[in-house]
Amino acid sequence: MQHTISHELFSKAQQVIPGGVNSPVRAFKAVGGNPVFIKSAKGAYLHDEDGNQYIEFINSWGPMLLGHANPVIEEAVREAISSSLSFGAPTRREVEMAELIIDMVPSVEKVRMVNSGTEATMSAIRVARGYTGREKIIKFEGCYHGHGDSFLIAAGSGAVTLGVPDSPGVTKGVANDTLTAPYNDLAAVQMLVAANPNQIAAIIIEPVAGNMGLVLPKEGFLEGLRELCTREGIVLIFDEVMTGFRLARGGAQERLGVMPDMTTLGKIIGGGMPVGAYGGKREIMDCVAPAGPVYQAGTLSGNPVAMAAGLAMLRYLNTHPEVYTLLEQTSQTIVNDIRANCKALDLNLTINHIGSMFTVFFTDKPVVDFTTAKQSDLAAFGRYFQAMLHEGVYLAPSQFESLFVSTALAEPTLLQQVAQANKKALAAAFGK
Ligand SMILES: *Cc1c(COP(=O)(O)O)cnc(C)c1O
């Protein structure tokens, strides 16, 4: 497999773009080698600048749930662009979009559109602070909520340790207002809340965590957070930027039956266009300007082309429940194949899986939080990643990511190809 053009482009890119990429996860830093430059994609396949073809497990980090260049979404976009790309004034599609989100996501009663997941989470905590009159938030170690200052906080060594900035440029002041707890550790959260009485505005969590690799909430964990938040007047925010419209029509909250006060959305909601949203209880969302005093705005928010793409995606999902059955079946087949390969090669790897998300952790221990995720053999993962790429399967270039299945993968021959590639790559990674 040749990557000459990709390599040339990457050397040029490094001269003019920090690290050669416009988002760090696209670099191959964790796995070695250089990123491939993508030229086009269709269905389950990516095509790079050198003419190589790959079966796709990133799917733009989630949005391409129905595969690439899906005609349902393409046609909606084509229709929208002939009526001008932006007005900065209200449009019919924004109303339809809001109605549809409220219909699909169980806990959302009012919703505001923004342009990314980052904007959605940043705005949601501002609103939670405005609503409660409190300043601190609790987040979980290993959960990613976009690159807003408040979220770039590493966990301290103990549950009650104050956050320290994870990135230069984040002030101590901001870090002091973000408290962190290990995922799945309800007792740690209870201690933080007890140690900061009437000071916690919000607890923000990925109800199913996908940004430390896939980690599922333990039985009773989300329910415990729900009870705690209700009792203490804390706004519970589910960051469903990744899980929304993926784990079910109504996201993780529908699938797991626990309702947050606010929800943040992104990724699938734009069908591939830059869209985010935050919503929740009417009483909370009515704090947002111009209805209320909490300011949040956006020149391109609710952009007509982005709304057209998102609406087409959500309408399709809303009227085609079989999409979710197909995603479940396809993902289960892939995971079963990987398990069978591991067994055949006498490997004991931990596979976390729910719906159309899964991560193969290169460890034999259960992975329930960031600490256990970090026990993975990253060198072996790197070898596995490179071998998969060589076999024509494009995985996320990090152990700490979930893989995303699209409906376009639901072809028996394609799944067989993936299973065979997986077997070879596992063997290569472990020298078997
Ligand atoms: C991707 C992601 C974000 C950030 O969304 P962007 O659109 O990249 O800003 C926030 N939260 C979660 C859970 C995500 O997966």
Side-chain angles (χ1 to χ4, degrees):
M1 201 177 264
Q2 292 275 353
H3 290 119
T4 323
I5 302 177
S6 276
H7 288 181
E8 272 170 29
L9 284 170
F10 190 55
S11 351
K12 282 189 198 167
Q14 284 174 298
Q15 303 301 314
V16 288
I17 304 170
V21 290
N22 278 317
S23 194
V25 294
R26 296 176 197 171
F28 279 18
K29 280 210 149 160
V31 290
N34 293 333
V36 287
F37 279 63
I38 304 303
K39 190 171 191 179
S40 68
K42 178 75 189 165
Y45 291 100
L46 287 177
H47 303 275
D48 73 11
E49 288 280 352
D50 289 279
N52 303 306
Q53 171 176 288
Y54 310 92
I55 300 172
E56 204 353 9
F57 278 91
I58 299 185
N59 285 295
S60 187
W61 303 92
M64 314 317 279
L65 187 71
L66 303 176
H68 287 279
N70 190 295
V72 173
I73 293 153
E74 282 204 341
E75 268 159 43
V77 169
R78 209 168 287 130
E79 193 200 307
I81 53 179
S82 58
S83 309
S84 183
L85 301 184
S86 183
F87 313 114
T91 58
R92 173 190 300 272
R93 285 196 192 92
E94 292 166 80
V95 185
E96 293 170 355
M97 186 71 159
E99 286 172 345
L100 190 54
I101 294 168
I102 291 163
D103 175 38
M104 292 174 80
V105 186
S107 71
V108 173
E109 295 174 351
K110 264 194 184 178
V111 62
R112 169 63 65 82
M113 303 309 301
V114 292
N115 304 291
S116 68
T118 294
E119 257 191 84
T121 54
M122 275 168 39
S123 308
I125 57 160
R126 183 183 307 142
V127 174
R129 285 171 166 153
Y131 173 73
T132 57
R134 302 172 180 177
E135 298 199 345
K136 292 183 175 160
I137 62 163
I138 295 175
K139 78 171 282 284
F140 294 88
E141 206 179 319
C143 279
Y144 179 67
H145 303 293
H147 66 89
D149 283 1
S150 306
F151 304 118
L152 293 180
I153 308 300
S157 50
V160 289
T161 314
L162 288 178
V164 292
D166 208 12
S167 163
V170 175
T171 65
K172 287 197 198 80
V174 168
N176 283 344
D177 285 334
T178 301
L179 312 177
T180 60
Y183 200 81
N184 273 323
D185 190 343
L186 186 59
V189 183
Q190 286 163 336
M191 275 167 63
L192 285 176
V193 171
N196 297 272
N198 297 315
Q199 293 175 61
I200 311 293
I203 295 178
I204 185 165
I205 186 166
E206 296 178 66
V208 167
N211 285 293
M212 50 181 136
L214 180 70
V215 173
L216 304 186
K218 281 184 182 161
E219 189 95 22
F221 177 57
L222 296 176
E223 290 83 352
L225 292 179
R226 176 65 278 174
E227 264 178 46
L228 181 67
C229 286
T230 304
R231 193 178 69 225
E232 300 290 335
I234 297 168
V235 177
L236 179 61
I237 305 172
F238 277 4
D239 181 356
E240 296 229 42
V241 169
M242 194 181 271
T243 54
F245 314 106
R246 173 169 290 278
L247 291 184
R249 170 183 169 275
Q253 55 193 265
E254 177 189 309
R255 187 167 182 136
L256 304 174
V258 182
M259 294 305 139
D261 302 304
M262 295 185 83
T263 302
T264 53
L265 298 162
K267 299 192 169 123
I268 292 172
I269 202 175
M273 296 291 284
V275 181
Y278 66 99
K281 288 186 175 155
R282 182 170 287 113
E283 189 191 340
I284 300 175
M285 291 304 290
D286 280 340
C287 294
V288 180
V294 179
Y295 198 71
Q296 187 274 312
T299 301
L300 294 173
S301 294
N303 173 269
V305 185
M307 289 302 98
L311 259 180
M313 174 64 104
L314 298 196
R315 276 189 182 134
Y316 189 86
L317 297 177
N318 201 28
T319 50
H320 293 76
E322 69 275 14
V323 164
Y324 293 100
T325 321
L326 187 65
L327 287 170
E328 296 287 321
Q329 287 167 349
T330 309
S331 311
Q332 193 62 58
T333 304
I334 295 168
V335 169
N336 288 349
D337 289 343
I338 299 174
R339 284 192 208 284
N341 288 340
C342 287
K343 196 156 181 224
L345 293 164
D346 202 20
L347 295 172
N348 194 4
L349 304 183
T350 294
I351 304 177
N352 286 356
H353 169 216
I354 182 171
S356 55
M357 299 169 73
F358 70 95
T359 298
V360 181
F361 285 102
F362 282 61
T363 170
D364 56 4
K365 312 242 168 33
V367 175
V368 297
D369 58 18
F370 197 35
T371 305
T372 45
K374 283 193 290 195
Q375 290 176 344
S376 303
D377 180 345
L378 301 183
F381 176 83
R383 293 191 294 272
Y384 171 73
F385 170 86
Q386 296 293 352
M388 285 296 266
L389 194 69
H390 186 76
E391 293 296 321
V393 183
Y394 188 76
L395 305 177
S398 164
Q399 170 74 93
F400 305 112
E401 300 287 355
S402 173
L403 298 181
F404 299 114
V405 174
S406 78
T407 52
L409 277 170
E411 294 283 338
T413 51
L414 229 157
L415 293 177
Q416 269 166 24
Q417 219 178 313
V418 171
Q420 280 162 13
N422 176 263
K423 192 166 185 181
K424 278 195 199 168
L426 284 174
F430 291 97
K432 298 223 173 196

